[in-house]
Amino acid sequence: MILGGMLLALPARMTAADAFYTIDLSSPSVRANLEAQGGTVLDDGPDGSCCVRFTLPAGASDRRNLTAAIPLNVGPLQGARVALTANIRGDGIIGLDPAKPLPGYLGGKCQLALETANGRRWLDARALHGTFDWRESGTLGGVPDDASSASIRIGLENATGTIWLSNIRLRIVQPKVTRARPSEIALQAVASAHTTLRGFMSPQTYREKDFADLQTLNVNAVRWQLYQRANDPTPYDTWFARELDDLDKALDGAARHGLVLAVDLHSPPGGRLPDRTMRMLMEKPQADHFVAIWEEIARRFKGRPGLWAYNLVNEPVQNLPSPEGLDDWLALQVRAARAIRNIDPITPIMIETDQWSSPETFAWLKPVDVPGIIYQAHMYWPGEYTHQGVRTGQGVADGKDTALQAIPYPGELHGAPFNKEALRRYLQPVRDFQLATGAPIFIGEFSVIRWAPGGAQYLDDLISIFEEYGWNWTYHAFREWPGWSIEHADLPRDRDNHPPAIEPTERMQVLKKWLSLNTRPPAP
């Protein structure tokens, strides 16, 4: 069916739990539409099936993109969690500047594009780079209630090479969650919620001076990372044993300096696949190892002064369903939480949500049946503001990308106001979950790059929302990469050089204002 000159993919099967759209590449009208947008439909897919091919030859830098847009009926998708999948093959997919690595979301393109009240949103199959044989790729994510349009985009973006796609489909994996009326217990919990813990993510290695300086800043909570760098050749179990010894020192130091630690398993066993999906969601030995790790942590550290919570895993990502018999991102955390509860019935346990702990995923989250759970979100929205100049020239006055200008806050973004109310709307799924369940909320990470215009106001507006809702929080990060540091100058905009601040930065002053509200020892 053609709608407004574009292909409308009709549902092949529609039920409340398993509706999906398929792109029928054998249809003459589909073929004509895709070829009008630069694709070539041919019988070159897996087992001779129909596929669509997009090619931009190397050196074709005069054209940045070659993509086809396939509009969808957004109505059945609103409020649902969906999976976009395809069989994909690539040949020589590289960026327009071969010297620069492609971000995961650029290169080969298989994307669900959405228009919402908060601007555009994209769900991308990631790491479609280089040369690879046919493989299933995809993305899982949610469609906001207020989505006004949706389309599937396929092809090449900011890249040259060739991509083939077959068996493209969009499936509803979870219908919209309807919240029950809050219980009296939930209402009382929300009414009594107030922020008591305020601090930073950890410097990753215990140093006594860091904890002494955090105490001077009136910090009372630290999200302590167990983090293995990607280029660390140390075997995982050897690294993990070393991290636990360091955590032992950190807990002692926390008790001396009036701090409590949330122990964050930042690097799960098995690491991540190229599309950033956690390998333990796809491989049983890694999943079992994950549970065993948490049993070891609980046995060794339960009851220790300075221990606040077990943070099961940092920023889960799952872009394809788990194989038969394996747990998904939430079920595996629940399994680990129950294993911990068999050892330690008291220490709180933190669960993070799919797709990098993004606030949107709370719209599809249901409370788990384990006592003492804290639900954690991370806040880097919008990434093009908070991360400007981190991986691109956006916001960096270095003469390399003069077309990319700095993004200010407050202001306008994608034609919509970019201000405190926009931040509040983006966080609304977390607030709705809290109001419906009474569950405690923790913002484990939030930040803005040091040179972003209006960064101090952005942080102040965010923290004021956290405090209004009674959420605990830790800023990312303390003495980690200086781009996020409040101890380094707000300017200049320079990715490679980070001058220490001579006077307290505006961002430092904002954080000190809110940290001054802390009590010591930390309130429960």
Side-chain angles (χ1 to χ4, degrees):
M1 179 178 177
I2 303 297
L3 179 66
M6 304 295 282
L7 171 67
L8 174 63
L10 292 175
R13 181 172 77 248
M14 294 284 285
T15 69
D18 194 34
F20 66 89
Y21 296 92
T22 60
I23 312 304
D24 183 4
L25 296 173
S26 65
S27 162
S29 61
V30 171
R31 178 189 297 262
N33 189 278
L34 290 175
E35 293 191 342
Q37 298 184 74
T40 301
V41 179
L42 63 165
D43 294 328
D44 196 23
D47 301 320
S49 61
C50 208
C51 68
V52 58
R53 181 186 68 202
F54 296 85
T55 297
L56 274 177
S61 57
D62 58 320
R63 183 165 186 177
R64 301 177 68 89
N65 304 321
L66 178 60
T67 60
I70 305 163
L72 306 172
N73 176 11
V74 74
L77 305 177
Q78 290 170 330
R81 192 161 170 265
V82 300
L84 173 63
T85 58
N87 292 326
I88 301 177
R89 174 186 163 208
D91 182 34
I93 300 174
I94 59 173
L96 301 182
D97 182 351
K100 293 183 178 179
L102 273 171
Y105 59 89
L106 295 179
K109 183 60 55 175
C110 182
Q111 175 193 83
L112 179 65
L114 303 165
E115 292 283 351
T116 77
N118 271 327
R120 297 172 188 156
R121 285 199 60 230
W122 301 272
L123 301 175
D124 282 284
R126 298 176 64 89
L128 301 176
H129 303 157
T131 298
F132 53 90
D133 203 352
W134 287 105
R135 70 188 191 206
E136 186 179 28
S137 297
T139 180
L140 286 163
V143 179
D145 286 338
D146 61 10
S148 56
S149 68
S151 61
I152 294 173
R153 288 181 64 227
I154 54 176
L156 295 164
E157 183 173 8
N158 279 34
T160 61
T162 302
I163 188 171
W164 294 259
L165 302 99
S166 176
N167 192 28
I168 307 162
R169 69 175 189 164
L170 182 72
R171 181 165 56 96
I172 294 176
V173 296
Q174 183 181 347
K176 178 179 177 179
V177 172
T178 302
R179 302 286 184 202
R181 184 186 297 274
S183 67
E184 188 61 35
I185 293 175
L187 292 173
Q188 291 173 1
V190 172
S192 63
H194 59 285
T195 305
T196 58
L197 297 172
R198 305 169 180 90
F200 289 85
M201 284 186 65
S202 73
Q204 300 178 359
T205 300
Y206 180 68
R207 294 181 293 262
E208 181 73 14
K209 184 179 187 308
D210 290 337
F211 275 33
D213 291 345
L214 288 171
Q215 183 176 9
T216 299
L217 287 171
N218 206 40
V219 166
N220 65 4
V222 171
R223 182 168 176 256
W224 184 262
Q225 299 175 73
L226 306 180
Y227 175 59
Q228 184 177 32
R229 296 189 179 278
N231 60 357
D232 184 349
T234 310
Y236 187 90
D237 285 344
T238 302
W239 161 83
F240 179 67
R242 185 180 67 209
E243 287 293 300
L244 292 195
D245 289 342
D246 197 50
L247 172 59
D248 197 58
K249 299 174 187 175
L251 286 169
D252 285 345
R256 284 194 300 274
H257 292 287
L259 307 172
V260 292
L261 305 186
V263 181
D264 157 35
L265 185 60
H266 217 76
S267 300
R272 297 178 186 263
L273 298 168
D275 72 349
R276 312 309 293 158
T277 294
M278 294 186 300
R279 194 179 296 274
M280 65 186 185
L281 305 178
M282 301 291 155
E283 301 174 6
K284 187 176 186 303
Q286 307 295 352
D288 293 344
H289 195 183
F290 173 72
V291 175
I293 279 172
W294 277 110
E295 290 173 328
E296 181 176 353
I297 293 173
R299 279 193 295 266
R300 180 165 173 177
F301 297 110
K302 68 174 181 178
R304 282 284 296 273
L307 177 62
W308 165 27
Y310 304 119
N311 184 169
L312 295 178
V313 67
N314 179 66
E315 295 185 344
V317 173
Q318 180 163 10
N319 288 317
L320 287 172
S322 298
E324 184 79 23
L326 289 189
D327 293 320
D328 68 8
W329 64 272
L330 181 57
L332 184 56
Q333 289 186 83
V334 171
R335 180 182 161 201
R338 288 178 174 151
I340 290 171
R341 282 288 169 259
N342 288 333
I343 299 166
D344 181 349
I346 297 173
T347 304
I349 298 170
M350 292 177 174
I351 281 180
E352 297 191 34
T353 57
D354 190 21
Q355 298 305 313
W356 310 98
S357 302
S358 67
E360 302 116 305
T361 53
F362 276 75
W364 301 276
L365 182 64
K366 296 180 180 180
V368 304
D369 187 21
V370 178
I373 297 294
I374 298 170
Y375 296 87
Q376 182 176 159
H378 294 178
M379 179 60 174
Y380 294 101
W381 183 85
E384 59 203 292
Y385 173 72
T386 62
H387 284 61
Q388 59 185 294
V390 176
R391 296 184 181 89
T392 72
Q394 182 81 59
V396 178
D398 59 5
K400 298 175 185 176
D401 295 291
T402 55
L404 295 174
Q405 301 300 315
I407 300 171
Y409 177 90
E412 187 175 282
L413 200 57
H414 302 305
F418 177 37
N419 52 26
K420 182 176 178 178
E421 289 314 304
L423 302 180
R424 188 187 298 275
R425 282 195 302 273
Y426 187 77
L427 289 165
Q428 192 61 42
V430 186
R431 178 61 169 168
D432 290 342
F433 180 83
Q434 178 193 25
L435 291 171
T437 64
I441 302 296
F442 171 51
I443 304 298
E445 292 187 31
F446 67 102
S447 198
V448 60
I449 198 66
R450 64 178 182 81
W451 52 72
Q457 185 63 54
Y458 175 86
L459 294 176
D460 197 39
D461 285 350
L462 266 187
I463 295 172
S464 69
I465 295 171
F466 304 160
E467 297 275 337
E468 177 185 344
Y469 295 159
W471 300 348
N472 294 321
W473 52 265
T474 50
Y475 174 83
H476 177 268
F478 185 73
R479 295 178 183 169
E480 194 190 74
W481 183 59
W484 308 114
S485 169
I486 60 170
E487 297 177 308
H488 288 75
D490 293 332
L491 292 173
R493 302 183 184 104
D494 190 330
R495 286 172 294 205
D496 302 317
N497 297 296
H498 302 277
I502 298 173
E503 299 290 335
T505 65
E506 292 182 8
R507 293 167 298 118
M508 167 74 87
Q509 293 176 47
V510 165
L511 284 167
K512 287 181 72 174
K513 177 185 78 172
W514 293 105
L515 291 169
S516 70
L517 302 178
N518 275 338
T519 59
R520 192 172 268 105

